[in-house]
Amino acid sequence: MRKYGFFFLFCLVAVLVSGCAVENNHLTPDDFSDCLRRSGVKAESAKPWPRPDMLKADSACSVRVGESDILVFKYDISSRAQRERIERIKQTRRVFVSGLPFYAYVQGSFVFLGLDKSKQKHEIIRAIKRFK
């Protein structure tokens, strides 16, 4: 019986660790605009977002791409509560702000909002996948 307990514990730890497979916790939201530029997407401006606590994140910024704004929220995944929050967002692919649902894309410790309204959605997602 003890052998199965260790096996269960090992599986549980493996599942929790594999959820955050992309290690980009050292980056800041401002680094995302540089990643977009390196990927060939024209990021016109990046400015700090004054309310990262809107999604209970550590920091946030707004990146202007074409005619749309992409909001980038960073979570500190060394915190258990924030790691659980970002996993829940990753599973549901949406966040609620004032009761309204918004499509969210998760990469590592970052959550991206506003992708669904951008004309360059596919190019931006390609850049996000390289954001490590």
Side-chain angles (χ1 to χ4, degrees):
M1 190 68 174
R2 194 174 198 196
K3 183 166 62 172
Y4 293 113
F6 285 120
F7 178 74
F8 177 76
L9 181 64
F10 175 78
C11 291
L12 181 65
V13 170
V15 167
L16 289 175
V17 173
S18 68
C20 301
V22 176
E23 185 58 48
N24 61 359
N25 204 32
H26 65 283
L27 298 171
T28 64
D30 294 325
D31 294 332
F32 178 62
S33 63
D34 296 332
C35 176
L36 283 175
R37 290 184 188 109
R38 284 193 306 269
S39 297
V41 177
K42 185 178 178 185
E44 296 171 10
S45 66
K47 55 187 173 186
W49 188 254
R51 297 288 314 264
D53 58 333
M54 176 175 86
L55 295 182
K56 298 180 181 176
D58 284 348
S59 58
C61 79
S62 172
V63 179
R64 184 89 172 156
V65 177
E67 296 177 4
S68 62
D69 288 320
I70 307 298
L71 298 178
V72 183
F73 292 89
K74 181 184 188 242
Y75 291 83
D76 181 12
I77 57 173
S78 63
S79 163
R80 180 177 173 224
Q82 292 214 355
R83 188 172 51 250
E84 289 172 355
R85 185 173 291 118
I86 203 164
E87 281 299 316
R88 189 171 49 251
I89 295 170
K90 188 175 186 177
Q91 290 174 355
T92 62
R93 293 187 180 172
R94 63 181 175 193
V95 295
F96 290 90
V97 179
S98 298
L100 299 173
F102 290 91
Y103 171 77
Y105 188 88
V106 176
Q107 177 73 5
S109 56
F110 290 88
V111 173
F112 302 89
L113 300 182
L115 293 175
D116 54 336
K117 297 181 180 164
S118 177
K119 294 178 182 176
Q120 299 177 344
K121 176 182 177 178
H122 300 291
E123 293 86 2
I124 295 170
I125 289 177
R126 264 189 256 122
I128 290 172
K129 289 180 180 178
R130 292 186 207 127
F131 187 50
K132 300 176 186 176

